[in-house]
Amino acid sequence: MSSVRAKGIYKSLPNLAKSWQSSEAGQAPFVRGPYRTMYQQKPWTMRQYAGFSSADATNEFFKKQLENGQTGLSVAFDLPTHLGLDSTDERAQYDVGKTGVAIDSVEDMKRLFDGIDLSSVSVSMTMNGAIMPILACYIVAAEEAGYASSSLRGTIQNDILKEFAVRNTFIHAPKPSLEMSIDVVEFSQKKLPNFNTMSISGYHFQEGGATPELELALTLAHAKVYLLACQKRGLDLNTIARRLSFFFASGMAFFKEIAKLRAARKLWHDLLVELGVTDEQALRMKMHCQTSGVSLNAESPYDNLTRTTVEAMAAVMGGTQSLHTNSFDEAIALPSDFAASLALGTQQILQQETGLIDVVDPWGGSYMMETLTSEMIDYVNSTLISLESGEGVLAKVEQGDIAFFIHQQAMQQAQLSKPFVTSISDQQDKPQVSPRVIHSEKALESQRLSINKLKLVRNNRLVNQSLEKLKEKALSGQNLMPYVVAAIKHRATVGEVTEALCQIHPRFFPQQKISNELLDSEDLKTVRSRYQQFMNKNGRALKVLFTKVGLDGHDRGAKQVVATLKAVGLDVTYLPVLTPFSEVQSMIQNHHFDVVGISSLAGAHLDFSKAVFSCIDPVKTALIVGGVIPDHDFESLEKIGIEGIFTRHSEIGLVVNRIIELVEAK
Ligand code: MLC
Ligand code: 5AD
């Protein structure tokens, strides 16, 4: 305890006289848990997030996990699906099936759940951008398989606001996107009464660099925007809030994470009471937790099992309803079957062997925990006031202020972060990790066949009519879900529905604010003078093309590099996310570049590198790659002809220096 106190995590002896500190679990304001009996009656749901390649491959994986004792399902979609692009769209070609399963139509959705009893297993779908067509695919697939939609249990993430700050799979601008998410809430309340209509997420804030307390403040700020938007529609929050659930990260700050979940329940209860909610069920916050991805380390991956266990214990001691434990190889690639089994096993051991489920709120009454909880509540309340100040939270989302705020926090956190323990760092002793390899071309081929077949058998006239109707309704501002469901039923694809919606609410490309701190650093001054010498010698500026080919929207790093290169004086052209590959190709063919840089954070670096390398003349142009690049791919990249590989840990000055070196060597 003394070290905790020394670091100032708790400052004063707690005052346990606060009324909420003597409340029981299952009693307002639910600090100690949403239910009186908690896990004694029903242990948390073991819900592993998964999806890769095709519907068939993921279906097989789901069935295996259920056989092994998993108690809920959770679908990870690939990037084209998130962005409402059919797999056959040129912009999607390198991302099909990479970070999740590809779903282009109701037929794929049917195959995803083939042979799985949807009336007994609850299904979570992490979908935000293409929310309407994907939920519609699920409803239609289930109905056609014989399930009444009122019997379906599960959760749709439907939390679009955080996408603009951290996760980046938005399609339309914030305001129309918000309206669509409320369409889903309104529609589901009637059509899917047992479905949680939102999973308001903090997880990604922490992954993006926020502290647990900031994660909570931002989540609740967004939650309030949704509540007010529902109220504005005339929806009764007493009913709506019963089916709003939450999603938090559980990182390595063990005590703080437990306090965060306790504080979250009280803050949610208070917020709803402030908005006039009285329904007991609605006032109980329910949550899913996932152990932290950023806390995992690729150098000594088996240590990640320990980290995940500790993080899972914090989530359970904090009273989560549902849990995903990360696989030990996640810092390297998508979980292998072996690693996924161990991750599920971690939860099973906690549930079946430790007695953790026998105790409700095990830390309740501890001075340390009650103080941390209390301080967390105070911090969130004061942060909410500043988030809501000025033009309010939605304006901050629209102007990119929240994204920028997180980015700055991430830079501060990076300076504070502790080094990883690497118990097995010696290459020779290192256990072999066999990460899952996704064959994107195979996945694309199978999607192509599936779309072609669908288009052959469907009635195109009905498809077109339903899409026209959808556009008409989108203009008039009605709830769009019934029209999306109708289009999907007629076998319109996810891409076609999205395209129709984009004709009314165009794709959104945000302006991103870039940190100036780096631009003023000492390191950069040295690099500037080196570049000046190069210019003096060669009498010209260096020409660089920087591209984020593909769909992964994590472009802050790329934009920061571009801004820095420009500040140093290089002549930089930037092709952003969603640029079709043919445009990258013609840019390279029609202009000279000394260096072409690719940024990739979602596993497509090998495919992109091969494709871009085939367009350049390596005698005149050097190709470099940056982003999330696992160690085991360095050799393959070098073989392709990549001359500079940069990871998240590379200093920006180093990148510029390497570019100059490469050009001098040519
Ligand atoms: C449970 N129940 C109890 C009880 N415990 N009743 C009485 N006493 C108790 N002790 C009841 C509940 O009221 C509920 O009934 C039923 O049992 C089911 O339990 P639950 O606790 O609601 O669990 P579950 O169905 O698993 O739902 C959990 C949830 C839900 C509410 C948090 O939203 C959920 O499953 N979320 C998962 C989200 C997720 O997996 N996201 C992945 C994101 S990954 P009833 O009738 O009220 O339903 C991601 C990564 C990325 O985002 O970026 O790509
Ligand atoms: N399968 C399993 N886990 C995934 N994650 C992301 N995509 C997948 C997938 N397809 C996990 C990683 C990441 C977090 C957001 O979710 O742990 O950190």
Side-chain angles (χ1 to χ4, degrees), residues 35-45 47 49 73-74 76 82 122 124-126 128 153-155 157 162 167 194 196 198-199 201 203-204 243 245-247 281 286-288 290 320-322 324:
Y35 305 112
R36 197 173 63 80
T37 51
M38 289 300 287
Y39 306 136
Q40 292 167 16
Q41 183 155 334
K42 181 192 167 292
W44 70 89
T45 308
R47 192 185 298 285
Y49 182 53
L73 291 177
S74 175
H82 275 294
S122 62
S124 165
M125 284 176 283
T126 293
N128 306 278
R153 295 191 306 119
T155 300
Q157 193 164 81
K162 58 95 172 56
R167 199 169 169 278
N194 293 315
N196 299 293
M198 277 189 174
S199 178
S201 311
Y203 182 86
H204 313 89
R243 286 291 171 203
S245 76
F246 285 82
F247 171 33
Q281 285 251 69
K286 295 187 294 181
M287 61 179 71
H288 169 77
Q290 176 165 344
T320 193
Q321 279 53 68
S322 167
H324 168 107

Side-chain angles (χ1 to χ4, degrees), residues 75-256:
V75 186
F77 296 96
D78 70 356
L79 278 170
T81 308
H82 275 294
L83 294 171
L85 298 171
D86 286 340
S87 303
T88 44
D89 190 300
E90 197 208 340
R91 292 167 289 182
Q93 66 178 321
Y94 295 111
D95 290 296
V96 177
K98 277 263 160 72
T99 54
V101 58
I103 300 292
D104 292 319
S105 72
V106 62
E107 295 299 339
D108 291 343
M109 196 65 102
K110 281 170 115 170
R111 285 186 292 116
L112 182 63
F113 292 108
D114 184 44
I116 293 172
D117 181 358
L118 295 181
S119 61
S120 70
V121 64
S122 62
V123 175
S124 165
M125 284 176 283
T126 293
M127 179 49 68
N128 306 278
I131 177 76
M132 295 207 281
I134 285 297
L135 183 58
C137 283
Y138 185 74
I139 294 170
V140 176
E143 277 178 352
E144 291 184 5
Y147 300 97
S149 51
S150 59
S151 71
L152 300 172
R153 295 191 306 119
T155 300
I156 182 97
Q157 193 164 81
N158 192 25
D159 170 14
I160 196 67
L161 294 177
K162 58 95 172 56
E163 297 293 326
F164 296 99
V166 273
R167 199 169 169 278
N168 291 316
T169 59
F170 47 81
I171 296 175
H172 318 281
K175 277 206 181 105
S177 298
L178 176 61
E179 289 308 315
M180 290 180 201
S181 72
I182 305 300
D183 281 2
V184 167
V185 171
E186 186 180 23
F187 176 85
S188 308
Q189 178 207 346
K190 296 185 195 111
K191 182 87 177 168
L192 302 165
N194 293 315
F195 234 73
N196 299 293
T197 57
M198 277 189 174
S199 178
I200 308 168
S201 311
Y203 182 86
H204 313 89
F205 293 124
Q206 192 174 142
E207 286 290 283
T211 57
E213 53 270 40
L214 180 61
E215 171 197 351
L216 180 55
L218 288 166
T219 312
L220 289 169
H222 284 171
K224 191 165 171 187
V225 175
Y226 294 128
L227 288 172
L228 295 177
C230 286
Q231 256 185 349
K232 207 168 143 202
R233 276 274 176 115
L235 304 176
D236 178 8
L237 294 188
N238 277 302
T239 321
I240 293 296
R242 282 178 171 209
R243 286 291 171 203
L244 299 181
S245 76
F246 285 82
F247 171 33
F248 295 110
S250 191
M252 287 300 277
F254 184 72
F255 297 118
K256 236 194 212 186

Side-chain angles (χ1 to χ4, degrees), residues 213-225 263-264 266-268 270-271 274 376-390 392-393 396 402 405:
E213 53 270 40
L214 180 61
E215 171 197 351
L216 180 55
L218 288 166
T219 312
L220 289 169
H222 284 171
K224 191 165 171 187
V225 175
K266 171 166 162 53
L267 286 157
W268 176 235
D270 292 355
L271 171 59
E274 192 188 304
M376 186 74 72
I377 291 170
D378 292 346
Y379 169 90
V380 171
N381 278 327
S382 64
T383 308
L384 281 173
I385 292 172
S386 65
L387 285 168
E388 287 174 347
S389 66
V393 176
K396 289 189 175 69
I402 298 194
F405 185 43

Side-chain angles (χ1 to χ4, degrees), residues 23 51 102 118 172 232 294 311 316 380 398 462 526 544 556:
S23 66
L118 295 181
H172 318 281
K232 207 168 143 202
V294 282
E311 293 169 348
V316 168
V380 171
E398 287 177 304
L462 289 178
T526 322
V544 177
R556 184 165 294 285

Side-chain angles (χ1 to χ4, degrees), residues 338-374:
F338 173 63
S341 302
L342 287 175
L344 176 60
T346 305
Q347 294 206 38
Q348 290 168 318
I349 291 168
L350 293 181
Q351 249 179 39
Q352 293 164 28
E353 295 184 11
T354 62
L356 265 177
I357 58 170
D358 298 334
V359 185
V360 175
D361 188 31
W363 287 94
S366 139
Y367 278 166
M368 175 274 300
M369 186 53 68
E370 297 297 352
T371 309
L372 279 180
T373 307
S374 209

